[in-house]
Amino acid sequence: ELFSPSTVKCGKYDRPEIIIVPYYFVIRSGKLPGVGMVHAPIALLPTSFPESHWKQACELAPIFNELIDRVSLDGKFLQDSLARTKKVDAFTSRLLDIHSKILEMNKKEEIRLGLHRSDYMLDEKTKLLLQIEFNTISSSFAGLGCLVTDLHRTLLNDYGEDLGLDSKRIPGNTATGQFAEALAKAWTEYNNPRAVAMIVVQTEERNMYDQHWLCTLGITYNVRTIRKTLAEIDSEGQLLPDGTFLVGGQAVAVVYFRAGYAPTDYPSESEWRARLLMEQSSAIKCPSISYHLAGTKKIQQELAKPNVLEKFLESKEDIAKLRKCFAGLWSLVDSDITKKAIEKPELFVMKPQREGGGNNIYGDDVKETLLRLQKEGSEEDAAYILMQRIFPAVSPTFLIRDSICHKDHAISELGVYSAYLRNKESVIMNDQCGYLMRTKVSSSNEGGVAAGFAVL
Ligand code: ADP
Ligand code: MG
């Protein structure tokens, strides 16, 4: 009955295709962050996804972890690959400057922690699982994603039979616990019982309840956490000669970034100073500047070139598995591809070096932007990469945002979380850690949940 629009009823509302969900607070109760609450956008029911492709995505997680770690150690590869981008993209340029300073110091990150999410779409025509991107900074929704899994399982326990959906087919989602475990283990490796874990947050953080699960660090692992903005870190931070990083006089063992991935996170020099100071310290950065750069779209495109993976990995089997999930990726230097993209822009996505959704270029805008860049003959083309557009299967979905449920045709993107922790030669953790399914109306190009395009 749920799937038949004419029969959807809820309370006094009796309108086709719209359900008002009564139990959430839509009208924000205040302006302070965390007081004016609104529920995260969610899909009412889980999305189906082929088990074999699911397994494939899970299997790729530890291989990508290892690849990123090795790429992060190759400072020259990162600098050279991003050298042209540096000239035209001020944000990437600042990140590369920090990276250069760290290289000059000859500083080695001996304890390295990655909390990643690799995103995929299943291309309907070719039945290929293709990677959208690999996130190495602020991979979000591990916390809320697990809750949505619980919500869906609960709903299917109650209504699954009527809907023909089996709650047992919903895979367990352990992202929250495993990410907390990885942070706690990193804290242990740092080996200072008085040190804290610090979460770097945005000034007006809207997604704090996704980060709330980090509290389990305190409860389960007895690790104290503090939350600071980059500006606060600049004013309260201090680097001791031995590399210890203090904030408000307190030693920091692990710095976990939930901010710092976008230019808007650095409104003044203060934020950049904070980022550099932390990078120069012995605190474990998640991510380090090298991990951050290794997760850029330009590096994704460089890694997809022939014979590049071979520089970083030995196992032919692993290399083949990674390559199988690479979509077409090109730099704009490739004139054959730019010509093709001008002719058939709907088959491509143009991406700048940005994170967080809402930055990519689609459709006719691809054509216009490419023509403009050609005409101007500037080096601005180096700011972008071109990617094959992936077309996942479309299915009817109930999407709930601001307490209103819409039925629409939607497509989904599977994210697989992974954690990597290493201390010198010893790999302490290299695991797949749960998942996130994001769903958006098929007519929307972009996919960010926080950016307002998709639901969990
Ligand atoms: P961001 O770092 O902003 O999240 P993404 O590369 O993940 O950038 O792109 C944002 C969204 O755009 C994705 O979540 C996805 O919905 C859509 N998208 C990105 N690349 C492709 C592609 N090659 N084909 C189809 N959709 C894409
Ligand atoms: Mg993304």
Side-chain angles (χ1 to χ4, degrees), residues 40-52:
I42 52 171
L44 183 62
L45 297 168
T47 305
S48 71
F49 196 80
E51 189 172 5
S52 58

PDB file of all heavy atoms in Angstrom, residues 40-52:
ATOM      1  N   ALA A  40      17.980  14.687  10.107  1.00  0.00           N
ATOM      2  CA  ALA A  40      18.762  14.518   8.881  1.00  0.00           C
ATOM      3  C   ALA A  40      17.835  13.995   7.793  1.00  0.00           C
ATOM      4  O   ALA A  40      16.895  13.250   8.084  1.00  0.00           O
ATOM      5  CB  ALA A  40      19.887  13.520   9.128  1.00  0.00           C
ATOM      6  N   PRO A  41      18.057  14.380   6.544  1.00  0.00           N
ATOM      7  CA  PRO A  41      17.223  13.845   5.471  1.00  0.00           C
ATOM      8  C   PRO A  41      17.455  12.340   5.295  1.00  0.00           C
ATOM      9  O   PRO A  41      18.609  11.891   5.266  1.00  0.00           O
ATOM     10  CB  PRO A  41      17.689  14.624   4.238  1.00  0.00           C
ATOM     11  CG  PRO A  41      19.008  15.205   4.596  1.00  0.00           C
ATOM     12  CD  PRO A  41      19.068  15.325   6.073  1.00  0.00           C
ATOM     13  N   ILE A  42      16.382  11.596   5.218  1.00  0.00           N
ATOM     14  CA  ILE A  42      16.528  10.133   5.136  1.00  0.00           C
ATOM     15  C   ILE A  42      15.593   9.547   4.078  1.00  0.00           C
ATOM     16  O   ILE A  42      14.590  10.154   3.711  1.00  0.00           O
ATOM     17  CB  ILE A  42      16.203   9.435   6.486  1.00  0.00           C
ATOM     18  CG1 ILE A  42      14.829   9.899   6.994  1.00  0.00           C
ATOM     19  CG2 ILE A  42      17.285   9.704   7.514  1.00  0.00           C
ATOM     20  CD1 ILE A  42      14.326   9.110   8.179  1.00  0.00           C
ATOM     21  N   ALA A  43      15.940   8.337   3.638  1.00  0.00           N
ATOM     22  CA  ALA A  43      15.018   7.552   2.816  1.00  0.00           C
ATOM     23  C   ALA A  43      14.185   6.721   3.789  1.00  0.00           C
ATOM     24  O   ALA A  43      14.709   6.210   4.777  1.00  0.00           O
ATOM     25  CB  ALA A  43      15.787   6.641   1.871  1.00  0.00           C
ATOM     26  N   LEU A  44      12.889   6.611   3.515  1.00  0.00           N
ATOM     27  CA  LEU A  44      12.018   5.885   4.431  1.00  0.00           C
ATOM     28  C   LEU A  44      12.387   4.401   4.508  1.00  0.00           C
ATOM     29  O   LEU A  44      12.336   3.793   5.566  1.00  0.00           O
ATOM     30  CB  LEU A  44      10.559   6.044   3.974  1.00  0.00           C
ATOM     31  CG  LEU A  44       9.486   5.421   4.847  1.00  0.00           C
ATOM     32  CD1 LEU A  44       9.473   6.048   6.233  1.00  0.00           C
ATOM     33  CD2 LEU A  44       8.119   5.581   4.187  1.00  0.00           C
ATOM     34  N   LEU A  45      12.788   3.838   3.378  1.00  0.00           N
ATOM     35  CA  LEU A  45      13.089   2.403   3.314  1.00  0.00           C
ATOM     36  C   LEU A  45      14.466   2.184   2.690  1.00  0.00           C
ATOM     37  O   LEU A  45      14.960   3.044   1.961  1.00  0.00           O
ATOM     38  CB  LEU A  45      12.023   1.699   2.468  1.00  0.00           C
ATOM     39  CG  LEU A  45      10.593   1.769   3.027  1.00  0.00           C
ATOM     40  CD1 LEU A  45       9.584   1.300   1.991  1.00  0.00           C
ATOM     41  CD2 LEU A  45      10.473   0.958   4.304  1.00  0.00           C
ATOM     42  N   PRO A  46      15.082   1.030   2.974  1.00  0.00           N
ATOM     43  CA  PRO A  46      16.407   0.780   2.384  1.00  0.00           C
ATOM     44  C   PRO A  46      16.340   0.561   0.874  1.00  0.00           C
ATOM     45  O   PRO A  46      15.304   0.188   0.343  1.00  0.00           O
ATOM     46  CB  PRO A  46      16.868  -0.499   3.087  1.00  0.00           C
ATOM     47  CG  PRO A  46      15.645  -1.133   3.606  1.00  0.00           C
ATOM     48  CD  PRO A  46      14.651  -0.053   3.865  1.00  0.00           C
ATOM     49  N   THR A  47      17.441   0.821   0.228  1.00  0.00           N
ATOM     50  CA  THR A  47      17.558   0.644  -1.228  1.00  0.00           C
ATOM     51  C   THR A  47      18.161  -0.724  -1.509  1.00  0.00           C
ATOM     52  O   THR A  47      19.071  -1.145  -0.801  1.00  0.00           O
ATOM     53  CB  THR A  47      18.531   1.708  -1.785  1.00  0.00           C
ATOM     54  OG1 THR A  47      18.067   2.980  -1.375  1.00  0.00           O
ATOM     55  CG2 THR A  47      18.641   1.649  -3.275  1.00  0.00           C
ATOM     56  N   SER A  48      17.680  -1.377  -2.543  1.00  0.00           N
ATOM     57  CA  SER A  48      18.291  -2.683  -2.851  1.00  0.00           C
ATOM     58  C   SER A  48      19.552  -2.484  -3.686  1.00  0.00           C
ATOM     59  O   SER A  48      19.660  -1.526  -4.465  1.00  0.00           O
ATOM     60  CB  SER A  48      17.292  -3.592  -3.556  1.00  0.00           C
ATOM     61  OG  SER A  48      17.071  -3.129  -4.860  1.00  0.00           O
ATOM     62  N   PHE A  49      20.502  -3.375  -3.469  1.00  0.00           N
ATOM     63  CA  PHE A  49      21.804  -3.274  -4.130  1.00  0.00           C
ATOM     64  C   PHE A  49      22.332  -4.700  -4.295  1.00  0.00           C
ATOM     65  O   PHE A  49      22.254  -5.497  -3.355  1.00  0.00           O
ATOM     66  CB  PHE A  49      22.743  -2.454  -3.223  1.00  0.00           C
ATOM     67  CG  PHE A  49      23.969  -1.949  -3.913  1.00  0.00           C
ATOM     68  CD1 PHE A  49      23.909  -0.812  -4.708  1.00  0.00           C
ATOM     69  CD2 PHE A  49      25.186  -2.605  -3.766  1.00  0.00           C
ATOM     70  CE1 PHE A  49      25.054  -0.343  -5.351  1.00  0.00           C
ATOM     71  CE2 PHE A  49      26.318  -2.141  -4.404  1.00  0.00           C
ATOM     72  CZ  PHE A  49      26.256  -0.997  -5.196  1.00  0.00           C
ATOM     73  N   PRO A  50      22.881  -5.046  -5.487  1.00  0.00           N
ATOM     74  CA  PRO A  50      23.319  -6.439  -5.704  1.00  0.00           C
ATOM     75  C   PRO A  50      24.431  -6.854  -4.730  1.00  0.00           C
ATOM     76  O   PRO A  50      25.388  -6.105  -4.531  1.00  0.00           O
ATOM     77  CB  PRO A  50      23.849  -6.436  -7.139  1.00  0.00           C
ATOM     78  CG  PRO A  50      23.314  -5.201  -7.763  1.00  0.00           C
ATOM     79  CD  PRO A  50      23.084  -4.207  -6.677  1.00  0.00           C
ATOM     80  N   GLU A  51      24.273  -8.038  -4.160  1.00  0.00           N
ATOM     81  CA  GLU A  51      25.206  -8.501  -3.140  1.00  0.00           C
ATOM     82  C   GLU A  51      26.640  -8.614  -3.675  1.00  0.00           C
ATOM     83  O   GLU A  51      27.601  -8.287  -2.970  1.00  0.00           O
ATOM     84  CB  GLU A  51      24.736  -9.859  -2.603  1.00  0.00           C
ATOM     85  CG  GLU A  51      25.504 -10.303  -1.397  1.00  0.00           C
ATOM     86  CD  GLU A  51      24.916 -11.547  -0.751  1.00  0.00           C
ATOM     87  OE1 GLU A  51      23.956 -12.137  -1.301  1.00  0.00           O
ATOM     88  OE2 GLU A  51      25.438 -11.933   0.305  1.00  0.00           O
ATOM     89  N   SER A  52      26.779  -9.059  -4.925  1.00  0.00           N
ATOM     90  CA  SER A  52      28.139  -9.259  -5.457  1.00  0.00           C
ATOM     91  C   SER A  52      28.886  -7.918  -5.552  1.00  0.00           C
ATOM     92  O   SER A  52      30.075  -7.827  -5.243  1.00  0.00           O
ATOM     93  CB  SER A  52      28.073  -9.923  -6.832  1.00  0.00           C
ATOM     94  OG  SER A  52      27.300  -9.117  -7.695  1.00  0.00           O
TER      95      SER A  52
END
